[in-house]
Amino acid sequence: MPLVQVLADGLVVGAMIALGAVGLTLVYAILRFANFAHGELIAWGGYFALSLLTLATGWLGLEAGGIGGLSIGWALLAALAGAMVLTAALGIGLDALLFRSLRRRGGAITLIIASFGAALALRNLIAFLYGPTPTYYSRAIPMALPLLPEEVAAVTGQIRMTPDQLFILGLTAVLVVALHLFLSRSTLGRAMRATAENPDLARLFGIDTRVVIRWTWAIGGMLAAVAGVCFGLTAQVRPQMGFDLLLPLFAAAILGGIGSFHGAVAGGLILGVAESIGVHLIGAEYRQAVAFVVLIAVLIARPAGLFGERD
Amino acid sequence: MADLLGIGAYLVFFLVVALNYAVACLGLNLQWGYTGLFNVGVAGFFAVGAYTTAILAGPDYPGQFGGFGLPFPLAWAGAMAMTGLVALVVAVPTLRLRHDYLAIATFGIAVVIQLVAQNAQWLTGGAFGLNLPRPLFDAVGDPVLWNLLYLALSVLVVAVLYVGLETLAQSPWGRVLRAIREDEAAARSLGKSAALFRIQAFVLGSMIMGLAGAMYASFVGFISAQDFLPILTFQVWTMLIVGGSGNNRGAILGAIVVWALWTLSGRVMGLLLPAEMQARGAALQIVLIGVVLALLLVFRPGGILGERRQVSRHL
């Protein structure tokens, strides 16, 4: 396989990791704990979309087939939108039921073990409700298209990507730009950054941190749902999908500097490419080990990450 | 009469497994209860202990690393040493950093160990797992009697660990651990290297988990990757929190209580659910335990026994 193809595949995986890592890092920035349940938001996003897809094609009679060369049709797009709302609600609900009362008692570390327990419960709830077997949104086999003109491909090797993969890259780019504008321009986005910087001072300036916290979960949940649907599109929908993504998410967030939005995006893309190269060299079964190696290397060499501030 | 014997034999089996968990739980208590170190990779360290025992004590298979056929005391010691080494690899880069990083790194090492257990056929047997002889099983002959003897050995190990850990906790070393947990800046201002003490406590706690893995492998006689899923980490954590972290008696009690609830709820699920729902029933069981843990954390964070307050003898 030409190197350019390995890199391109890595970017698609990296885009999904980035979407997850952004949510993880936002929760860390605002609530200051490593949320081991974030992977499950991704998995639930994927399964919400699966259920809504059945509803949309069955009840609303939306076309299940793809638009253009995509295997994504209007039905799946509608399901994705619905899944984003539901996953955001799941994040907010989890916070209201569990994390909020633990926050009041103090101790970020209790929050970590609670999130670990919540992750197991959420993951097994999927296995209970949907069964353990993996499924797909669509049985269509996507056609991979050559992207580079012949003259270039003769030198570098050809890149082939399915329309779905291109869609994932485009959607991620749009979401990242939108979130960047939101965090830098809007009042709420600025309030989020202020709360991340110094919650007490933010409250003193009249920022309602409860609203900020709700929106943090909402944004994290929506991005997680997109990541989950993208994962389902390129691989499969399975109860373990969130758990399998969790280590890459943490590695990406720490690589970028935990708490940093831009860092999480960059970290996600770098990690995706690193995984792709690692899989090419040592085989797919050790994919997650790449994330662990990156994680330990960052912790030894530059614990603050690429974009993080030093403690 | 036969029924009574059956129940007795089952009880012995149950207690051996419960005490096996209790050993792991004591290791976690040293890390979390006394030192405040967050280890999300219990299953990984347990697995290292189990696989090392199988490799050192097991028979020689063609194409398979290991099969040294060492006597069990040596294999157990080797298992503890190996687990300590793996713990050191995680501890050194992370323990000078924020506590979340240790949590994430231990999670990572457990994932990697699980990958190795599943895929490294030459080392771990992959999906086929590893067989090892159970110590003195043939010499004893009767399986029920052997279980009983193994229970006696488990009780002995737990007792020795309990006394040892209590002595450690009362020692100046144990006081420094608690001081670091409560107020690191104050402990540092007294000239104690927080990172060094943390690394010691973490490695020692992980070695105890490795011992638990070694005991498990020797008792069951067969291990595979399925035995060391993340659920194991979660069970040991639940045991510690239910029993009361920071309390060694709580760790042992929690292991027995939670394992009893776990097997009991498994039985109830087995009776209530039809055969085709059994796999989902196991999932539901984990959901329920997860909810119980969350409720406990919210409403009774101290557990059943809670931590005894340690005040100077002179007050």
Side-chain angles (χ1 to χ4, degrees):
Chain A
M1 205 189 297
L3 181 65
V4 279
Q5 179 70 56
V6 176
L7 296 181
D9 289 341
L11 281 181
V12 176
V13 176
M16 291 183 265
I17 297 176
L19 288 174
V22 166
L24 191 68
T25 223
L26 283 181
V27 168
Y28 190 91
I30 306 281
L31 299 169
R32 285 170 212 236
F33 79 101
N35 178 19
F36 278 81
H38 197 78
E40 308 317 317
L41 291 183
I42 294 179
W44 270 97
Y47 274 92
F48 278 140
L50 187 70
S51 289
L52 291 171
L53 183 66
T54 324
L55 277 183
T57 47
W59 289 6
L60 301 179
L62 281 177
E63 200 71 33
I67 310 161
L70 297 173
S71 66
I72 305 150
W74 291 112
L76 187 59
L77 284 179
L80 171 64
M84 287 170 78
V85 175
L86 288 175
T87 314
L90 180 65
I92 294 169
L94 204 58
D95 188 68
L97 283 175
L98 183 63
F99 297 132
R100 190 163 59 198
S101 50
L102 289 175
R103 263 201 306 280
R104 251 184 256 128
R105 282 166 199 274
I109 214 129
T110 326
L111 287 167
I112 301 182
I113 183 66
S115 75
F116 194 74
L120 264 158
L122 285 172
R123 178 157 74 249
N124 283 283
L125 197 57
I126 292 179
F128 174 69
L129 293 173
Y130 293 89
T133 11
T135 43
Y136 301 86
Y137 293 123
S138 148
R139 291 277 163 194
I141 295 169
M143 283 288 291
L145 310 170
L147 292 188
L148 298 177
E150 288 297 330
E151 311 84 77
V152 183
V155 184
T156 61
Q158 186 57 273
I159 302 178
R160 285 176 184 279
M161 284 179 119
T162 63
D164 287 357
Q165 288 177 314
L166 292 172
F167 171 80
I168 289 170
L169 286 178
L171 182 62
T172 306
V174 169
L175 286 172
V176 165
V177 171
L179 196 58
H180 168 79
L181 292 176
F182 169 78
L183 287 172
S184 56
R185 304 283 163 82
S186 76
T187 317
L188 185 60
R190 287 194 191 135
M192 281 179 73
R193 278 162 51 213
T195 311
E197 201 70 41
N198 187 335
D200 293 328
L201 205 57
R203 262 196 297 272
L204 212 59
F205 276 88
I207 292 172
D208 186 349
T209 46
R210 285 169 306 175
V211 175
V212 168
I213 289 171
R214 268 203 293 280
W215 273 98
T216 307
W217 285 107
I219 293 170
M222 286 192 281
L223 295 179
V226 177
V229 172
C230 293
F231 189 87
L233 271 175
T234 50
Q236 49 189 193
V237 189
R238 55 169 190 258
Q240 285 285 322
M241 62 198 257
F243 181 78
D244 291 344
L245 276 172
L246 193 55
L247 188 55
L249 293 191
F250 273 126
I254 291 177
L255 174 60
I258 196 152
S260 153
F261 162 67
H262 297 100
V265 177
L269 293 174
I270 294 172
L271 201 77
V273 171
E275 269 195 3
S276 184
I277 295 172
V279 165
H280 188 62
L281 295 177
I282 55 173
E285 62 270 29
Y286 288 108
R287 175 182 281 274
Q288 292 195 71
V290 176
F292 182 70
V293 171
V294 170
L295 175 73
I296 293 292
V298 174
L299 289 182
I300 291 173
R302 198 182 157 86
L306 298 175
F307 296 83
E309 294 156 23
R310 292 195 175 274
D311 266 342
Chain B
M1 193 58 195
D3 274 0
L4 266 183
L5 274 181
I7 292 172
Y10 181 77
L11 201 65
V12 169
F13 178 82
F14 167 84
L15 280 175
V16 171
V17 181
L19 289 181
N20 196 199
Y21 279 115
V23 171
C25 207
L26 283 170
L28 185 64
N29 191 34
L30 177 61
Q31 294 177 341
W32 165 241
Y34 285 119
T35 327
L37 298 176
F38 198 87
N39 183 351
V40 200
V42 179
F45 296 109
F46 192 92
V48 171
Y51 277 110
T52 309
T53 307
I55 288 168
L56 290 181
D60 202 5
Y61 292 111
Q64 182 83 49
F65 178 75
F68 297 106
L70 290 182
F72 272 85
L74 276 180
W76 285 19
M80 288 179 76
M82 192 66 204
T83 320
L85 214 62
V86 174
L88 206 59
V89 171
V90 189
V92 171
T94 48
L95 283 179
R96 351 168 239 122
L97 305 170
R98 278 193 300 238
H99 55 68
D100 321 59
Y101 288 172
L102 177 67
I104 296 164
T106 51
F107 173 75
I109 192 93
V111 169
V112 172
I113 290 169
Q114 175 66 220
L115 288 182
V116 172
Q118 276 171 9
N119 299 308
Q121 187 95 32
W122 62 277
L123 184 67
T124 62
F128 301 108
L130 287 180
N131 280 300
L132 66 159
R134 295 187 272 183
L136 298 180
F137 191 74
D138 294 328
V140 173
D142 181 14
V144 177
L145 179 65
W146 186 80
N147 280 358
L148 201 62
L149 288 174
Y150 206 89
L151 176 61
L153 177 67
S154 305
V155 171
L156 183 72
V157 171
V158 170
V160 168
L161 277 177
Y162 174 77
V163 173
L165 287 170
E166 283 290 302
T167 316
L168 266 183
Q170 303 297 331
S171 72
W173 188 77
R175 283 203 299 273
V176 175
L177 292 189
R178 278 197 302 278
I180 291 169
R181 186 193 66 183
E182 295 301 329
D183 191 340
E184 188 182 327
R188 270 215 302 256
S189 74
L190 293 173
K192 306 294 180 193
S193 160
L196 193 63
F197 276 89
R198 282 210 189 105
I199 290 177
Q200 290 169 354
F202 184 77
V203 170
L204 191 59
S206 300
M207 287 170 76
I208 297 175
M209 291 170 193
L211 175 64
M215 292 170 69
Y216 172 79
S218 309
F219 179 61
V220 183
F222 168 76
I223 50 170
S224 76
Q226 291 303 309
D227 299 334
F228 313 107
L229 296 175
I231 184 70
L232 175 63
T233 300
F234 177 64
Q235 283 169 324
V236 176
W237 266 99
T238 312
M239 287 163 181
L240 185 61
I241 289 168
V242 166
S245 67
N247 186 325
N248 285 321
R249 261 185 284 178
I252 300 169
L253 180 72
I256 296 172
V257 168
V258 170
W259 186 237
L261 287 176
W262 189 273
T263 38
L264 215 64
S265 61
R267 277 289 164 87
V268 173
M269 293 279 176
L271 288 177
L272 290 181
L273 293 171
E276 67 273 16
M277 291 284 285
Q278 290 295 341
R280 293 188 177 198
L284 188 62
Q285 192 187 1
I286 298 171
V287 175
L288 290 179
I289 298 276
V291 172
V292 168
L293 176 78
L295 288 175
L296 260 175
L297 282 172
V298 173
F299 293 109
R300 200 177 161 79
I304 303 175
L305 292 183
E307 183 174 357
R308 267 175 304 164
R309 274 193 61 200
Q310 307 261 349
V311 199
S312 163
R313 271 171 295 155
H314 307 294
L315 287 177

